[in-house]
Amino acid sequence: MRLLERMRKEWFMIGIVLAIAGAKLEPSVGVNGGPLKPEITVSYIAVATIFFNSGLSLKTEELTSALVHIKLHLFIQIFTLAFFPATIWLFLQLLSITPINEWLLKGLQTVGCMPPPVSSAVILTKAVGGNEGIVITPLLLLLFLGSSSSVPFTSIFSQLFMTVVVPLIIGQIVRRHIKDWLERKKPPFGTISSGVLLMIIYTTFCDTFSNPNIDLDEFSLILILVIIFSIQLSFMLLTFIFSTRDNSGFTPADTVAIIFCSTHKSLTLGIPMLKIVFAGHERLSLISVPLLIYHPVQILLGSVLVPTIKSWMVSRQKGVKLTRPTV
């Protein structure tokens, strides 16, 4: 199962490259007003499809057992919703004096605002044997970058409600009635969402390549890649240090959940959210680039670090058992 999921992620990353290349070759197909009519098919139908699909696949019946890990979830929420975006914002104040493209820097802030994904953070946590911790909060974008959006505040919220909240709730209602069938057939939810997401990415870059005034310099792109690697490694190390202190109260399994769930960011939620908040913005694709880079980087780093983290967790758990007094 893990092998299939890994293969799906690898094909999805290849799909991202092909979608961008396709947009470069023939941007007229996916631009607003073009044959695909992305202003309707993407902004409403595609986004709603992703979240209806999420509603169908989200096993809320299992969430009640996770409520006992209140301290764990509180740590992840504070780190993800407060520390991460605030730290990125402070860091960007320093980077603003550099020649790095300003829209890529804004995109870096959107990365900080994203919640962790169900698909990668949980799978990597399970691969090691840790606990799960999932946080969903898309509206941080409006706090840090709302002024960059050309869409009225009320319009953003109404579209968020209609294309995110409503489909998610409907998906959950439908799931309750066909739960047994879903468990038996196991529909390819991940593949469906990935396919729709590639369509969103394709149309986003079609708008970019059809605009001759937009230019992405390689220097800025390389620097952003280095920065993203540095941010992920630094934050993973930071969460490890915080959660392994003597008085932290976290188990080794909790630490694994904290490392992955606090530092990974959701592409599935992020791209549709950016499409709504920055609808019609000519620099939308540039804002999306850091998130498109962050996604494969987090999978790569996670895959590389899983054996080391698993070895550490097993040794720590054995140590706890050996030091536990016998009755």
Side-chain angles (χ1 to χ4, degrees), residues 239-251:
T239 54
F240 178 80
I241 293 172
F242 282 160
S243 60
T244 54
R245 292 177 303 166
D246 291 337
N247 60 346
S248 69
F250 293 120
T251 66

Side-chain angles (χ1 to χ4, degrees), residues 50-296:
I50 285 178
F51 288 99
F52 174 74
N53 190 46
S54 297
L56 279 177
S57 60
L58 186 61
K59 298 180 180 181
T60 48
E61 60 269 17
E62 296 180 359
L63 296 181
T64 52
S65 61
L67 293 178
V68 295
H69 302 290
I70 294 176
K71 186 176 181 180
L72 170 66
H73 294 303
L74 185 61
F75 182 96
I76 293 173
Q77 287 183 21
I78 292 174
F79 192 94
T80 305
L81 308 183
F83 183 84
F84 202 125
T87 302
I88 294 295
W89 183 83
L90 290 172
F91 185 46
L92 291 182
Q93 304 314 300
L94 298 175
L95 292 179
S96 62
I97 62 175
T98 68
I100 299 177
N101 186 294
E102 67 168 310
W103 294 102
L104 288 180
L105 293 180
K106 288 181 184 295
L108 203 55
Q109 182 66 73
T110 68
V111 171
C113 296
M114 292 298 141
V118 173
S119 56
S120 64
V122 174
I123 287 168
L124 287 168
T125 298
K126 284 182 175 179
V128 180
N131 297 328
E132 298 175 21
I134 302 302
V135 181
I136 299 177
T137 174
L139 301 183
L140 272 175
L141 285 170
L142 299 176
L143 175 63
F144 288 96
L145 291 165
S147 59
S148 301
S149 173
S150 58
V151 182
F153 192 74
T154 53
S155 177
I156 290 173
F157 270 97
S158 62
Q159 190 169 348
L160 282 174
F161 182 76
M162 293 305 298
T163 60
V164 177
V165 179
V166 172
L168 194 64
I169 292 174
I170 293 175
Q172 277 287 281
I173 293 172
V174 173
R175 177 180 174 80
R176 290 186 179 184
H177 291 87
I178 61 172
K179 184 173 67 175
D180 293 338
W181 182 86
L182 291 173
E183 293 295 329
R184 189 170 61 254
K185 296 294 184 180
K186 299 187 183 302
F189 294 117
T191 302
I192 294 171
S193 291
S194 294
V196 177
L197 194 56
L198 288 175
M199 178 184 173
I200 297 175
I201 293 170
Y202 168 72
T203 57
T204 298
F205 279 86
C206 280
D207 285 333
T208 297
F209 293 129
S210 64
N211 188 340
N213 298 321
I214 295 179
D215 183 36
L216 177 59
D217 61 290
E218 294 179 0
F219 175 74
S220 293
L221 197 59
I222 293 171
L223 282 181
I224 287 293
L225 179 60
V226 173
I227 289 169
I228 286 174
F229 262 103
S230 303
I231 287 173
Q232 286 202 42
L233 285 173
S234 299
F235 280 6
M236 290 179 85
L237 178 61
L238 199 59
T239 54
F240 178 80
I241 293 172
F242 282 160
S243 60
T244 54
R245 292 177 303 166
D246 291 337
N247 60 346
S248 69
F250 293 120
T251 66
D254 291 338
T255 296
V256 173
I258 288 170
I259 290 173
F260 288 128
C261 295
S262 298
T263 59
H264 280 208
K265 296 295 181 177
S266 175
L267 182 68
T268 304
L269 175 64
I271 293 299
M273 196 62 54
L274 293 178
K275 194 77 175 178
I276 293 172
V277 176
F278 298 99
H281 202 294
E282 64 176 6
R283 298 292 196 277
L284 172 59
S285 62
L286 295 185
I287 296 173
S288 306
V289 165
L291 186 58
L292 291 173
I293 294 174
Y294 198 97
H295 180 74

